[in-house]
Amino acid sequence: MSTREEILGAAQRRLNLDPTSSMADIAAAAGIGRATLHRHFSGREDLLTEIGARSLDRWEERLDAARVGDVCSSDDADRLRATLVTLLGQYLEDSDDFGFALTDQFVLAEPTLTARGEALAEREIELFAAAQAAGVLRDDVSPRWISQACYGLLVAARDALRAGDVPRRDLDTVVASFFLHGAAAPGKPL
Amino acid sequence: MSTREEILGAAQRRLNLDPTSSMADIAAAAGIGRATLHRHFSGREDLLTEIGARSLDRWEERLDAARVGDVCSSDDADRLRATLVTLLGQYLEDSDDFGFALTDQFVLAEPTLTARGEALAEREIELFAAAQAAGVLRDDVSPRWISQACYGLLVAARDALRAGDVPRRDLDTVVASFFLHGAAAPGKPL
């Protein structure tokens, strides 16, 4: 007897391994019949939309827990810097759990998810802008670009983890250090 | 009378705008009937595989034109640095042309494309490793991670361009500068 939560968890793990998984693959991975899966979700798009919504729930929880609004108005460089690094570590954890939703074309184009994702992105962009104003982040690029670059590095981190290019224990340090300082050798600016 | 090349070009532009486009959408965008489209391509997967192959052709041409093998064995820091920046600019051009292939789940999982993509990635990783050995890039992270991060920044750049977050004329500079130096304010290391 699988609950809806258990089915969603199994679907998510299966889709992370193979984003092209069919409803039959997902039912098999959840250990249920296709009829049972279809009682819970009318189709693959319905299931993907719910997983996409859960990934946005997680993002929202992270921003809420970090008290992003307070941190932005604090204008406190140390607090801004610490919040950025903490959030980045949490995003890395989440991009492992919700890896497929990061780049799934259906999830990224679904209108209700897109609208909600844009509103969350605005909160994050506000944090990057505050970090720029406090001298933590460079201010010669737009905070929107910093947000896009952060997303791109999460995609890279998810892929690197799966390919075994970076051990899990080093991932937070490697990604935070790359996000802040890039790939150039220290003291050798281009 | 559309040639196969013209159809592929139209399909690529259509898929860049909407990666979930159906064969009917693609036929309409190419100004041909579905029967004509199906005479050229047995199905959507066949068409996507061909576009994926063309994106790998482009990548291979870029690596060949940059004479990556010679540059690697030169151990010449200035040449390595210049080659990296040139290639990054070319990849940005290509990720605009082939944007959807960067993250399409079918293209990324198709076995013949994957095998070829891995061989090209090895040539690129060799270049990053040579740049590390010559003191151009930091050597405290694996060259495989640098290659993944470079890919992630191309995804970010494609999205930023589409969202209007970075003007096209600034894109090369913004991405190269972020790739090399990251998001931290200068002189404010974490």
Side-chain angles (χ1 to χ4, degrees):
Chain A
M1 188 72 143
S2 291
T3 66
R4 191 177 174 88
E5 281 300 304
E6 286 166 347
I7 296 170
L8 279 167
Q12 209 171 297
R13 287 188 294 276
R14 172 73 210 178
L15 286 160
N16 282 339
L17 287 174
D18 176 7
T20 64
S21 300
S22 66
M23 288 294 268
D25 299 329
I26 291 167
I32 57 176
R34 290 189 62 177
T36 307
L37 182 59
H38 279 278
R39 266 204 304 282
H40 286 281
F41 304 98
S42 64
R44 191 171 186 275
E45 298 195 345
D46 184 29
L47 176 62
L48 290 186
T49 303
E50 185 145 338
I51 295 179
R54 286 156 63 98
S55 74
L56 295 178
D57 291 344
R58 182 76 68 87
W59 188 9
E60 188 165 14
E61 286 160 21
R62 296 305 197 183
L63 292 171
D64 288 347
R67 307 175 64 89
V68 163
D70 293 351
V71 176
C72 285
S73 41
S74 77
D75 198 32
D76 176 338
D78 290 339
R79 197 172 162 197
L80 281 158
R81 191 183 293 112
T83 301
L84 286 176
V85 172
T86 302
L87 268 180
L88 195 55
Q90 291 172 336
Y91 287 173
L92 286 169
E93 204 176 312
D94 299 341
S95 69
D96 194 18
D97 284 355
F98 288 97
F100 98 98
L102 270 187
T103 47
D104 184 81
Q105 309 283 19
F106 173 78
V107 170
L108 293 177
E110 205 285 325
T112 57
L113 297 177
T114 305
R116 226 187 119 198
E118 280 169 6
L120 293 172
E122 289 303 324
R123 293 177 63 189
E124 189 183 278
I125 288 163
E126 200 194 333
L127 178 67
F128 289 131
Q132 289 178 306
V136 173
L137 297 184
R138 58 195 282 185
D139 61 3
D140 62 337
V141 295
S142 103
R144 291 181 182 276
W145 160 252
I146 296 179
S147 174
Q148 296 278 14
C150 179
Y151 163 76
L153 289 181
L154 293 178
V155 173
R158 178 201 65 182
D159 292 354
L161 200 57
R162 289 180 186 176
D165 293 339
V166 181
R168 183 64 187 90
R169 67 178 177 280
D170 296 342
L171 195 71
D172 289 21
T173 310
V174 164
V175 176
S177 155
F178 198 94
F179 174 69
L180 289 164
H181 304 301
K188 303 258 178 125
L190 188 82
Chain B
M1 188 71 144
S2 292
T3 66
R4 192 178 173 86
E5 281 300 305
E6 287 166 349
I7 297 170
L8 278 167
Q12 209 171 298
R13 288 188 293 276
R14 172 73 211 177
L15 286 161
N16 281 339
L17 288 174
D18 176 7
T20 64
S21 300
S22 66
M23 286 295 268
D25 299 330
I26 291 168
I32 56 176
R34 291 189 61 178
T36 307
L37 183 59
H38 279 278
R39 265 204 305 280
H40 286 282
F41 303 98
S42 64
R44 191 170 186 275
E45 297 195 346
D46 183 29
L47 176 61
L48 290 186
T49 303
E50 185 145 339
I51 295 179
R54 285 155 63 98
S55 74
L56 295 178
D57 291 344
R58 182 77 68 88
W59 188 8
E60 187 165 15
E61 285 159 22
R62 297 303 198 183
L63 293 170
D64 287 347
R67 307 176 64 91
V68 163
D70 292 352
V71 176
C72 284
S73 41
S74 77
D75 198 33
D76 176 339
D78 291 338
R79 197 172 164 199
L80 281 158
R81 191 183 292 110
T83 301
L84 286 176
V85 172
T86 302
L87 268 180
L88 195 54
Q90 292 172 336
Y91 287 173
L92 286 170
E93 205 177 311
D94 300 340
S95 69
D96 195 18
D97 284 356
F98 288 97
F100 99 97
L102 269 186
T103 49
D104 184 81
Q105 309 284 19
F106 172 77
V107 170
L108 293 177
E110 205 284 324
T112 56
L113 297 177
T114 306
R116 226 187 118 199
E118 280 169 6
L120 293 172
E122 289 303 325
R123 293 178 62 189
E124 190 183 276
I125 288 163
E126 200 194 334
L127 179 67
F128 289 132
Q132 290 178 305
V136 173
L137 297 183
R138 60 195 282 186
D139 61 3
D140 62 336
V141 294
S142 103
R144 292 181 181 276
W145 161 252
I146 297 178
S147 173
Q148 296 279 13
C150 179
Y151 164 77
L153 289 180
L154 293 178
V155 173
R158 178 201 66 183
D159 292 355
L161 200 59
R162 289 181 186 173
D165 293 338
V166 181
R168 182 65 186 91
R169 67 179 177 280
D170 297 342
L171 195 70
D172 289 22
T173 310
V174 164
V175 176
S177 155
F178 198 95
F179 174 70
L180 289 165
H181 304 301
K188 301 259 177 124
L190 186 83

